[in-house]
Amino acid sequence: MSFLSLKFHHFCLTVCISRTYISMLASTFQRLKTYLETQVIGQPDLVKQLLIALLADGHILVEGPPGLAKTRAVKILSDCIEGSFHRVQFTPDLLPADLTGTDIFRPETAEFTFQPGPIFNSLLLADEINRAPAKVQAAMLEAMAEKQITTGRKTYPLPELFLVMATQNPIEQEGTYPLPEAQLDRFLLQLNVNYPDEASELEILRLNRGEALGIEKADPVHITQESIFAARKAVLSIHMAEDVERYIIRLTMATRQPESYSDQLANWLQMGVSPRATLALDRCARAHAWLNGRDFVTPEDVQKMAYPVLRPRLLLSYEAQAEGIAADSIVSHLIEQVACA
């Protein structure tokens, strides 16, 4: 066999192994999705968006009443992946050091040593994040944007695998601090969680009873951090046609130039989304397609992810707020007005 033939054979073998490995990764994430849906019943969107945030390397903001398995979802996910998990209950008296950590004086060495806080975990559940004061929000902003925290004169990197799932209670407003636009823009997705239907509620009842009785549940799916990083590369490498790329650009540009599409849209929007929304929509559409078993992105993937991606980033005008127009209604109007080809 000639040298060129050997090189070609090696190339084909490498491509075959790579495709096999990617197929194995996709199968593993499908099994993870199925397992999570058996443990977090009645919230398929929450499960799927959590996995999309994990694959797209972003953070997720979840809004919904208490008791809808928000904490349970991220806790069960943490049991399935290689990495540490911590839950922080945000309160008005929380200090940045309670989150980031602080320097501790050691009498035996007469030196200060840094004691890491709960933010130094791979998965962080920020429960009722809008109850934290401005200084804590600033610490969260640096962590989410730069994957690092600064205390005093020193900066410390966070784990390479770092995902924040923050929750908000839409019912109670007393003692809350609305998240600033800059921090909302750091969330990859915002998901609104609703109550489960009657059939799902019955399943929840039976699952809870089984857990209380100690009945064995399905074995969890375990995923290493190496597999997660490999899956992220696979997601970024799937095919996106130029027409789909331009469709994403047109959607985001429509929020900045709404008068070019409709007077109604111009009255509803005070400010358009930033380029960060374009990047988020690209990543999330790819992750959505990959989770659905495809190696290419369609306009439907973009439309599906436009709601959670644009929802926290649209700055509504006073007219829209006075009329009770929701961000989702504006996204629907955008999809109607902007041609996908």
Side-chain angles (χ1 to χ4, degrees), residues 163-180:
L163 185 148
V164 174
M165 176 178 162
T167 68
Q168 283 192 145
N169 184 345
I171 301 172
E172 299 176 348
Q173 301 300 324
E174 185 177 354
T176 61
Y177 303 83
L179 297 182

Side-chain angles (χ1 to χ4, degrees), residues 140-206:
M140 284 294 297
L141 185 63
E142 181 186 12
M144 293 167 62
E146 309 296 336
K147 285 194 176 180
Q148 65 180 32
I149 60 101
T150 302
T151 61
R153 297 181 180 179
K154 291 186 178 180
T155 298
Y156 300 92
L158 292 173
E160 187 177 1
L161 177 63
F162 179 63
L163 185 148
V164 174
M165 176 178 162
T167 68
Q168 283 192 145
N169 184 345
I171 301 172
E172 299 176 348
Q173 301 300 324
E174 185 177 354
T176 61
Y177 303 83
L179 297 182
E181 283 73 18
Q183 187 163 357
L184 285 172
D185 201 31
R186 292 317 194 277
F187 284 102
L188 184 75
L189 305 166
Q190 179 182 341
L191 184 64
N192 294 335
V193 179
N194 297 313
Y195 290 108
D197 57 28
E198 185 177 344
S200 297
E201 194 100 5
L202 181 60
E203 286 188 61
I204 293 169
L205 181 66
R206 290 171 176 170

Side-chain angles (χ1 to χ4, degrees), residues 27-264:
S27 175
T28 302
F29 269 85
Q30 284 298 329
R31 287 190 290 111
L32 174 60
K33 178 174 174 289
T34 301
Y35 171 74
L36 290 174
E37 287 175 345
T38 65
Q39 302 303 309
V40 185
I41 297 169
Q43 301 295 349
D45 280 348
L46 175 59
V47 168
K48 192 168 189 177
Q49 302 299 349
L50 260 179
L51 293 180
I52 286 174
L54 183 65
L55 288 168
D57 191 13
H59 311 291
I60 182 169
L61 176 63
V62 182
E63 188 170 293
L68 295 185
K70 300 186 292 291
T71 303
R72 179 182 175 87
V74 72
K75 178 66 174 68
I76 291 177
L77 176 63
S78 70
D79 291 339
C80 295
I81 67 175
E82 180 187 14
S84 54
F85 164 78
H86 198 94
R87 174 182 178 270
V88 178
Q89 181 64 50
F90 280 59
T91 57
D93 61 348
L94 195 72
L95 299 175
D98 296 330
L99 188 66
T100 63
T102 188
D103 291 321
I104 304 293
F105 182 71
R106 305 291 183 185
E108 61 272 17
T109 60
E111 294 179 348
F112 285 93
T113 58
F114 180 69
Q115 181 68 38
I119 205 169
F120 286 87
N121 286 275
S122 295
L123 275 80
L124 179 70
L125 176 62
D127 221 351
E128 295 190 289
I129 191 173
N130 56 330
R131 290 194 178 277
K135 287 185 178 180
V136 178
Q137 301 287 5
M140 284 294 297
L141 185 63
E142 181 186 12
M144 293 167 62
E146 309 296 336
K147 285 194 176 180
Q148 65 180 32
I149 60 101
T150 302
T151 61
R153 297 181 180 179
K154 291 186 178 180
T155 298
Y156 300 92
L158 292 173
E160 187 177 1
L161 177 63
F162 179 63
L163 185 148
V164 174
M165 176 178 162
T167 68
Q168 283 192 145
N169 184 345
I171 301 172
E172 299 176 348
Q173 301 300 324
E174 185 177 354
T176 61
Y177 303 83
L179 297 182
E181 283 73 18
Q183 187 163 357
L184 285 172
D185 201 31
R186 292 317 194 277
F187 284 102
L188 184 75
L189 305 166
Q190 179 182 341
L191 184 64
N192 294 335
V193 179
N194 297 313
Y195 290 108
D197 57 28
E198 185 177 344
S200 297
E201 194 100 5
L202 181 60
E203 286 188 61
I204 293 169
L205 181 66
R206 290 171 176 170
L207 176 64
N208 182 264
R209 185 189 303 127
E211 290 178 347
L213 292 172
I215 298 174
E216 291 187 7
K217 60 183 181 181
D219 293 332
V221 179
H222 294 290
I223 298 182
T224 64
Q225 291 193 18
E226 182 184 0
S227 296
I228 293 171
F229 298 141
R232 287 176 177 177
K233 290 182 179 179
V235 165
L236 289 176
S237 65
I238 69 173
H239 178 68
M240 179 181 286
E242 185 177 346
D243 287 345
V244 179
E245 288 180 330
R246 292 187 179 277
Y247 180 47
I248 292 174
I249 301 298
R250 286 197 298 273
L251 281 173
T252 55
M253 291 299 293
T255 68
R256 303 173 203 167
Q257 302 167 357
E259 64 281 353
S260 301
Y261 291 87
S262 75
D263 293 336
Q264 196 174 36

Side-chain angles (χ1 to χ4, degrees), residues 22 233-245 248 282-283 285-290 293-299 301-302:
I22 291 173
K233 290 182 179 179
V235 165
L236 289 176
S237 65
I238 69 173
H239 178 68
M240 179 181 286
E242 185 177 346
D243 287 345
V244 179
E245 288 180 330
I248 292 174
D282 171 78
R283 282 176 171 264
R286 291 174 183 273
H288 186 269
W290 194 77
R294 284 182 277 105
D295 60 356
F296 60 93
V297 183
T298 67
D301 293 314
V302 176

